[in-house]
Amino acid sequence: MASHEPFESKLVRLEVQQALPSLEASLQQETPELNALFLSYADDQALWMSASLAILRHGDRARDVLVEYGLLSDFQRVLVRYGADAILPISYFRSHDVATLRAQHWVGERYQQVSRWWSDEEGESDSAFTPYRRGQMGIALLDANGHALLNQFVVSEQGEVEWLQGERLVAGLGDFFTSGLRDLESQWRRGDDIGAADLGWAGVDLLVMASTVKVLRAGRAARAARVGSVEAQGARAGLRQGLLATSGRFATLPRMAKVAAVAGTAYVVVRHPSLVSAIGANLSTWLGWPVWLGQFLIWLIVLLPILFIARFIYCWLLTPLLWLLVPLIRVCFRATNNQLAKRTKSQTSDIN
């Protein structure tokens, strides 16, 4: 009857239930990866509320995006700022090979190569234009363009994300001629530092220079769209490959930290006995046994001290006590029978 869920995912579910009790019912049906993600979001109310609303509104599409990019700080920023619909452009770019996006990626790669050659820096460039990389570029574009990009995506009657080409064209023309001014005003209103490049591009907009000069801005856009893939891939691998790297991390802990970890784990297991079954499921997976066999052995090991104590109490306390109580009980029964017999005789004599 016990659940076959592994120990790590079971522990994460229990922790997220305590950290986010308002989402307990909904997260109970979600995957361990999503539970671990929401546990990392627990300290930021705006973040976990936006993620929960995204799942409620966009379902599996939001789940896939959250698992892929949920640990990236850029994604968390756009999710909080633009809400649940921030999922739409990321999901679209991730599942569609857009020609303009590929061109920006190519320009960004060439720019990085020239930069490394110019500065004599060594480094590896992952030029693969994968769906994951397209999603990263979608995050960067959403962070840079905000609602101007977000308004271009809708969900059709068939449940598919559609890119409004008319809105895209209008936004592109407006961005082509006025984005420098808008960026300059936004930075000024937010109190950000304004550099010479920002003033220069705003001046280009004011002078309405030739379009060939504007093409130079593609390099800056491509550079912004090229995010740190190595760090992002590491974060994604950390979420997918293991919720808790228990064995490796435990081996590197100091002695006092190991004692505290074991004591803390024991305390949690006592509070939540279902974790014992989860440990049994892990043991069966490691050894290639049936799940029920590992759970039976773990529960036997856990209950064996209790059985020994119960046997000791039965043999050395209950058994002598019963030997003493049996004669006393017999005496009590005899006295009761004699009393009843006397009462019966007295009633019979009264009737006669």
Side-chain angles (χ1 to χ4, degrees):
M1 298 296 293
S3 171
H4 293 178
E5 189 172 11
F7 177 82
E8 292 87 350
S9 58
K10 186 68 175 179
L11 181 61
V12 169
R13 288 186 187 277
L14 294 173
E15 291 293 333
V16 78
Q17 287 174 11
Q18 294 181 0
L20 300 173
S22 59
L23 298 181
E24 178 179 354
S26 59
L27 290 179
Q28 191 172 6
Q29 307 300 325
E30 300 296 344
T31 61
E33 290 83 3
L34 273 178
N35 276 266
L37 183 64
F38 272 89
L39 184 60
S40 67
Y41 288 175
D43 294 333
D44 192 336
Q45 183 178 6
L47 187 56
W48 64 258
M49 289 183 69
S50 298
S52 176
L53 182 59
I55 293 176
L56 183 63
R57 182 176 296 177
H58 301 296
D60 291 337
R61 183 180 295 109
R63 292 183 179 92
D64 294 339
V65 172
L66 286 170
V67 170
E68 286 284 340
Y69 309 103
L71 293 179
L72 301 180
S73 58
D74 293 340
F75 171 78
Q76 296 174 8
R77 182 170 60 254
V78 298
L79 181 62
V80 171
R81 185 173 182 181
Y82 302 110
D85 288 341
I87 298 296
L88 299 181
I90 302 171
S91 176
Y92 183 88
F93 290 139
R94 181 170 172 263
S95 57
H96 293 79
D97 190 354
V98 182
T100 54
L101 207 64
R102 179 178 287 274
Q104 288 189 7
H105 177 265
W106 184 87
V107 172
E109 291 294 330
R110 304 290 83 76
Y111 179 84
Q112 291 293 327
Q113 291 177 2
V114 172
S115 298
R116 287 194 297 270
W117 174 80
W118 185 263
S119 58
D120 295 331
E121 293 180 358
E122 295 183 358
E124 296 182 358
S125 176
D126 183 11
S127 59
F129 192 59
T130 61
Y132 181 76
R133 178 63 63 82
R134 295 199 298 266
Q136 287 182 299
M137 297 180 69
I139 295 171
L141 292 174
L142 181 59
D143 191 22
N145 299 305
H147 290 286
L149 178 67
L150 191 61
N151 293 335
Q152 300 174 24
F153 293 88
V154 295
V155 180
S156 65
E157 295 181 357
Q158 293 76 23
E160 298 294 332
V161 180
E162 300 292 345
W163 195 357
L164 303 179
Q165 297 304 314
E167 183 70 24
R168 176 188 179 186
L169 178 61
V170 172
L173 289 174
D175 184 70
F176 186 83
F177 290 105
T178 63
S179 60
L181 288 173
R182 291 202 310 267
D183 292 344
L184 181 64
E185 183 180 6
S186 298
Q187 289 177 324
W188 176 59
R189 296 294 184 183
R190 293 195 304 263
D192 297 340
D193 295 333
I194 297 176
D198 301 316
L199 293 173
W201 288 120
V204 171
D205 288 334
L206 289 174
L207 296 174
V208 195
M209 293 184 65
S211 59
T212 53
V213 178
K214 296 296 250 180
V215 172
L216 296 176
R217 300 180 63 183
R220 186 181 67 167
R223 182 182 180 185
R226 191 183 188 281
V227 294
S229 61
V230 176
E231 180 181 358
Q233 293 283 3
R236 182 180 61 157
L239 179 61
R240 280 189 162 187
Q241 294 177 1
L243 301 175
L244 296 174
T246 51
S247 58
R249 294 181 182 177
F250 185 81
T252 59
L253 292 176
R255 180 176 300 177
M256 293 302 297
K258 290 181 180 180
V259 174
V262 172
T265 303
Y267 173 74
V268 174
V269 169
V270 170
R271 288 182 58 195
H272 304 284
S274 60
L275 290 174
V276 178
S277 301
I279 296 176
N282 275 25
L283 178 64
S284 300
T285 303
W286 295 336
L287 299 179
W289 294 350
V291 176
W292 66 267
L293 179 59
Q295 291 177 332
F296 176 80
L297 291 177
I298 290 295
W299 273 111
L300 181 63
I301 294 172
V302 171
L303 296 178
L304 199 59
I306 300 177
L307 296 177
F308 278 123
I309 294 174
R311 183 175 181 275
F312 175 81
I313 294 175
Y314 176 78
C315 293
W316 297 98
L317 294 179
L318 292 181
T319 302
L321 186 60
L322 289 175
W323 279 105
L324 294 175
L325 289 177
V326 167
L328 182 60
I329 292 174
R330 290 177 179 175
V331 171
C332 292
F333 275 127
R334 289 176 184 175
T336 303
N337 291 334
N338 293 334
Q339 192 70 21
L340 290 175
K342 291 180 180 179
R343 184 177 298 177
T344 303
K345 290 180 179 179
S346 62
Q347 292 176 354
T348 303
S349 61
D350 292 340
I351 293 174
N352 294 332

